[in-house]
Amino acid sequence: MGFLRERRSAIVETGGPPVKAAIIGTSGHIDLALEVRDRLPQVTFVGIAPGSADEDTREFFVEQLEPSMIPFYEDYHRMLDREKPQVAIVAPFFFLQSRIACECLERGIHVFVEKPMAVSFEQLDRLRRTHALGKAALCPMLPSRYHPAFHSAWRAVTDGLVGEPLLITAQKSYKLGTRHPMYTHRATYGGTIPWVAIHGIDWIHWFCGGRINNVSASHTAAGNRGHGEMESSGVCLYRLANTGCAALTFDYFRPGSAPTHGEDRIRIAGEKGVVEVADGEATLLTHGAAPRRLEKEEPLSLFQEFIRSIEEGSTMRITAEEAFAVTDLALRSREAADTRSVVALRSAT
Amino acid sequence: MGFLRERRSAIVETGGPPVKAAIIGTSGHIDLALEVRDRLPQVTFVGIAPGSADEDTREFFVEQLEPSMIPFYEDYHRMLDREKPQVAIVAPFFFLQSRIACECLERGIHVFVEKPMAVSFEQLDRLRRTHALGKAALCPMLPSRYHPAFHSAWRAVTDGLVGEPLLITAQKSYKLGTRHPMYTHRATYGGTIPWVAIHGIDWIHWFCGGRINNVSASHTAAGNRGHGEMESSGVCLYRLANTGCAALTFDYFRPGSAPTHGEDRIRIAGEKGVVEVADGEATLLTHGAAPRRLEKEEPLSLFQEFIRSIEEGSTMRITAEEAFAVTDLALRSREAADTRSVVALRSAT
């Protein structure tokens, strides 16, 4: 609580005028925004609406928001017209994310959008062009760079402690459970590479500064327990500009009995040593020194940092440009897996 | 000691007549053969010779064998003529392994040969044809299937505990140290995929029954601390016949201060759960059950099992045919990395 109070007072000291936020869709991790309600007193939630008529947002509304007297809207356009929010939290069915994000940006509303920001290159191009109008800010729900252990590892790498990163191994493993039918169609879901692997893609992009030449990949829907087209697992192999490479595995095979929903790991190796993150801790092993657990920063909230960046102009660990690059990389990785070919990357950001 | 005595008496009980063994070259892991000297009283080492005039075998001879009065030969042909061994332990410079193995097989001498058995497809073809003459047995120094924790994991997978193996992740990480100039040239060394990654390739081949469709790969010599052409690290991506896939990373980046020379890991995931080997222990995680450490068998020696297979006709965990397939897979993986293309595999063994 002491920590929470400190954070709150820090925000109150530096915060600007009240910020009105609206929620469009509850199919993604809007908890990333809701979890900081207590810490962001200047943010008021002014409404919630489904992203499409067939999305059941009511249940979430009743469970999470009704006591707070936030109005529920059937149509988000009406909500935006009426409430005039400064920020939209956009988490509809995944294939609608980019379209609704564009609509909000065009209205000058800042957008905190579930990843992937787009499920096709066309969607991504449109979103990029709309964002380039400069009317509002855009941040995807890609909080990987704000995980304390991963940030510690990234600091170790950027401080040169392992040398040039030449071999990166990353793992994203999730519990499957029973998922909404939206997940069972590529057209509505987008694929497991853009949905799950994208966090690992974000790490890899971050650790190597986006300097990636091409990608090979593989994925399968086998073992998905009746989830239609949804891929259960796969691997992406990235060839880095420094001649090194990165391997990313992703799967929904984490048993329900496991202690946490996800199991995130990364290992970065170079001439000088190896840094690893597993079980939420970062460990460094270098020549001539015993293995050392790295100190971690206090947890930061992605949404809080987004609000801060809007209010204060501070720079986020993942910029909109980087988010576009990471999303593009996810779509190209999916293409590599679909076509079983090596896909060159347009540009190294 | 109780265990050793038991093993010895088991061998004496079942062993045949004395077996004469000769050593050709000391550039590989001939310790795999020497470590069981006490346990295999029927095996007598009758001579040692370098695999080529420029290989310094004398130092090893003086350190390891001189007290045992084993004769040293400058020329292994002369040793084979004179001592008429039944078994040859072949570990010359790597590019000579297949040639010397062929010479021994042609003489009817059983061969325990360092991996890779061949550093080119031509060498491998010749070795395969020579072995097919049926004059003698052949076993490569690929002990991976005899590591107790890996065997426990393999048993769990073949018992169906994780379901169809759909995602395999493996790691081979070694300390680099300072290596002989032989390692610094592809022509004499063969490459890090055939030398280091091959153990992981052996695991993957074993766990999926050799049903692999194709391979993509990447490797680099960057960060190799002055070791010329020797690759420091890389990744192989295997697309399995069951539509799943396997990712294998390999590197020489393990710092000298690490507690063990190598760090071997594998993770096999399927619809029913995940089994992992790390730090020499196998752990199983399945739906509805707490994580469980798997029991391990008593360690078995590859060389001892090879002698037993010669004496008793017992089947080894890695047959000569499987060893050919694993070596072929290593060479094709190297080709995939060299050419940056997807390499189809001739046959699923």
Side-chain angles (χ1 to χ4, degrees):
Chain A
M1 280 306 292
F3 171 66
L4 288 186
R5 264 200 301 275
E6 269 171 45
R7 298 294 310 170
R8 178 185 294 205
S9 59
I11 293 284
V12 170
E13 271 171 38
T14 59
V19 175
K20 292 195 287 181
I23 295 168
I24 304 174
T26 57
S27 295
H29 293 115
I30 66 163
D31 51 306
L32 283 176
L34 295 180
E35 71 186 3
V36 296
R37 273 182 291 185
D38 293 341
R39 280 186 276 168
L40 288 173
Q42 76 272 45
V43 174
T44 311
F45 290 91
V46 296
I48 178 170
S52 51
D54 54 345
E55 188 193 7
D56 180 13
T57 306
R58 271 201 181 277
E59 187 183 346
F60 182 92
F61 171 71
V62 170
E63 280 180 11
Q64 301 278 327
L65 296 175
E66 203 168 38
S68 61
M69 305 293 291
I70 295 171
F72 180 88
Y73 288 84
E74 295 290 351
D75 178 348
Y76 69 83
H77 299 96
R78 202 169 130 72
M79 175 176 71
L80 298 180
D81 291 341
R82 225 340 147 75
E83 304 291 346
K84 302 204 181 330
Q86 280 101 46
V87 175
I89 294 137
V90 176
F93 289 157
F94 304 164
F95 74 107
L96 295 172
Q97 285 161 181
S98 65
R99 186 201 299 173
I100 297 175
C102 283
E103 289 175 9
C104 292
L105 291 174
E106 283 164 355
R107 288 170 180 249
I109 301 169
H110 306 302
V111 175
F112 187 55
V113 62
E114 179 59 284
K115 45 79 195 170
M117 300 193 299
V119 298
S120 71
F121 291 115
E122 295 68 28
Q123 287 189 348
L124 187 62
D125 281 348
R126 190 188 151 200
L127 184 59
R128 206 192 287 260
R129 287 198 309 273
T130 307
H131 177 258
L133 298 175
K135 291 184 175 179
L138 176 67
C139 176
M141 295 183 196
L142 282 172
S144 307
R145 304 182 187 200
Y146 289 94
H147 288 173
F150 285 84
H151 184 250
S152 301
W154 179 81
R155 283 290 296 270
V157 170
T158 51
D159 286 350
L161 299 186
V162 304
E164 182 75 22
L166 289 169
L167 179 61
I168 302 177
T169 317
Q171 172 185 298
K172 285 295 297 183
S173 177
Y174 279 167
K175 292 180 184 176
L176 176 54
T178 303
R179 291 179 181 249
H180 189 279
M182 183 265 292
Y183 284 80
T184 63
H185 301 284
R186 169 66 70 88
T188 51
Y189 170 55
T192 301
I193 291 179
W195 175 245
V196 175
I198 194 168
H199 294 294
I201 292 168
D202 185 19
W203 292 328
I204 291 166
H205 192 275
W206 190 33
F207 275 89
C208 70
R211 292 180 290 276
I212 305 173
N213 289 349
N214 62 55
V215 54
S216 300
S218 183
H219 57 186
T220 180
N224 74 3
R225 294 180 172 251
H227 283 83
E229 296 170 0
M230 189 190 82
E231 298 87 5
S232 65
S233 58
V235 173
C236 300
L237 162 56
Y238 300 97
R239 294 178 187 81
L240 310 183
N242 68 12
T243 75
C245 55
L248 166 64
T249 68
F250 54 93
D251 67 76
Y252 278 116
F253 294 142
R254 187 157 171 78
S257 55
T260 55
H261 172 64
E263 191 173 35
D264 294 347
R265 295 181 190 168
I266 199 162
R267 176 181 184 268
I268 303 100
E271 193 179 341
K272 295 184 182 173
V274 177
V275 63
E276 280 195 81
V277 177
D279 299 323
E281 297 291 342
T283 307
L284 177 69
L285 185 57
T286 54
H287 291 276
R292 176 162 72 87
R293 183 165 285 189
L294 300 180
E295 279 186 29
K296 291 186 290 187
E297 66 183 1
E298 295 287 354
L300 291 172
S301 146
L302 178 66
F303 183 65
Q304 195 166 5
E305 292 301 304
F306 180 48
I307 297 297
R308 191 197 298 271
S309 77
I310 293 169
E311 290 178 332
E312 304 175 20
S314 55
T315 303
M316 300 195 64
R317 285 186 195 160
I318 180 161
T319 64
E321 275 317 304
E322 285 164 339
F324 286 128
V326 166
T327 307
D328 183 73
L329 188 48
L331 297 179
R332 287 182 195 282
S333 302
R334 185 186 69 183
E335 180 188 341
D338 284 343
T339 60
R340 298 168 187 218
S341 62
V342 181
V343 172
L345 302 174
R346 256 187 219 158
S347 61
T349 303
Chain B
M1 278 310 290
F3 172 67
L4 288 186
R5 264 201 301 277
E6 268 173 46
R7 297 295 310 170
R8 178 184 295 202
S9 59
I11 292 286
V12 170
E13 272 171 36
T14 60
V19 175
K20 292 195 287 182
I23 294 167
I24 304 173
T26 57
S27 295
H29 294 116
I30 66 163
D31 52 306
L32 283 176
L34 296 180
E35 71 186 2
V36 296
R37 273 182 291 184
D38 294 341
R39 279 186 275 168
L40 287 172
Q42 77 272 45
V43 175
T44 310
F45 290 90
V46 295
I48 178 170
S52 51
D54 54 345
E55 188 193 7
D56 181 12
T57 306
R58 271 201 181 277
E59 188 183 346
F60 182 92
F61 172 70
V62 170
E63 280 180 11
Q64 302 278 328
L65 296 175
E66 202 167 40
S68 61
M69 305 294 290
I70 295 171
F72 180 88
Y73 288 84
E74 295 290 350
D75 179 348
Y76 69 83
H77 300 96
R78 202 171 129 72
M79 175 175 71
L80 298 180
D81 291 341
R82 237 319 160 74
E83 304 291 346
K84 302 204 183 325
Q86 279 102 44
V87 175
I89 293 137
V90 177
F93 289 156
F94 304 163
F95 74 108
L96 295 172
Q97 284 162 182
S98 65
R99 185 201 299 172
I100 297 175
C102 283
E103 289 175 10
C104 292
L105 291 174
E106 283 163 355
R107 287 170 181 249
I109 300 169
H110 305 303
V111 175
F112 188 55
V113 61
E114 179 58 284
K115 46 79 197 172
M117 301 193 298
V119 298
S120 72
F121 291 114
E122 296 69 29
Q123 287 188 348
L124 186 62
D125 282 347
R126 191 189 150 199
L127 184 60
R128 205 191 289 259
R129 286 198 310 272
T130 307
H131 178 257
L133 299 174
K135 291 184 174 179
L138 176 68
C139 176
M141 295 183 197
L142 282 173
S144 306
R145 303 182 188 201
Y146 289 94
H147 288 174
F150 285 85
H151 184 248
S152 301
W154 180 82
R155 284 289 296 271
V157 170
T158 51
D159 287 350
L161 299 186
V162 303
E164 182 74 22
L166 288 169
L167 179 61
I168 302 177
T169 317
Q171 173 185 298
K172 287 294 297 183
S173 177
Y174 280 167
K175 291 180 184 176
L176 175 55
T178 303
R179 292 179 181 248
H180 188 280
M182 184 264 292
Y183 285 79
T184 64
H185 301 284
R186 168 67 70 90
T188 51
Y189 170 55
T192 300
I193 290 179
W195 175 244
V196 174
I198 194 169
H199 294 294
I201 293 169
D202 186 19
W203 293 327
I204 291 166
H205 192 274
W206 190 33
F207 275 89
C208 71
R211 291 181 291 276
I212 306 173
N213 288 350
N214 62 56
V215 54
S216 299
S218 183
H219 58 186
T220 180
N224 73 4
R225 293 180 172 250
H227 284 82
E229 297 170 359
M230 189 189 82
E231 298 87 5
S232 65
S233 57
V235 173
C236 301
L237 162 56
Y238 300 97
R239 293 177 188 82
L240 310 183
N242 67 13
T243 74
C245 55
L248 165 64
T249 69
F250 54 93
D251 68 76
Y252 278 115
F253 294 141
R254 188 157 168 79
S257 55
T260 56
H261 172 64
E263 190 173 35
D264 293 347
R265 295 181 190 168
I266 199 163
R267 175 181 184 268
I268 303 99
E271 194 180 339
K272 295 183 182 173
V274 177
V275 63
E276 279 196 82
V277 177
D279 299 324
E281 298 291 342
T283 307
L284 177 69
L285 185 57
T286 54
H287 291 276
R292 175 162 74 87
R293 183 165 286 189
L294 299 180
E295 279 187 28
K296 291 186 290 188
E297 66 183 2
E298 295 286 355
L300 291 171
S301 145
L302 178 67
F303 184 65
Q304 194 166 4
E305 292 301 305
F306 180 48
I307 297 297
R308 189 197 298 271
S309 78
I310 293 168
E311 289 178 332
E312 304 174 21
S314 55
T315 303
M316 300 196 63
R317 285 187 195 159
I318 181 161
T319 64
E321 274 317 305
E322 285 165 339
F324 286 128
V326 166
T327 307
D328 183 73
L329 187 48
L331 296 180
R332 287 183 194 282
S333 302
R334 185 186 68 184
E335 180 188 342
D338 284 342
T339 60
R340 297 169 188 217
S341 62
V342 180
V343 172
L345 302 174
R346 257 187 218 159
S347 61
T349 303

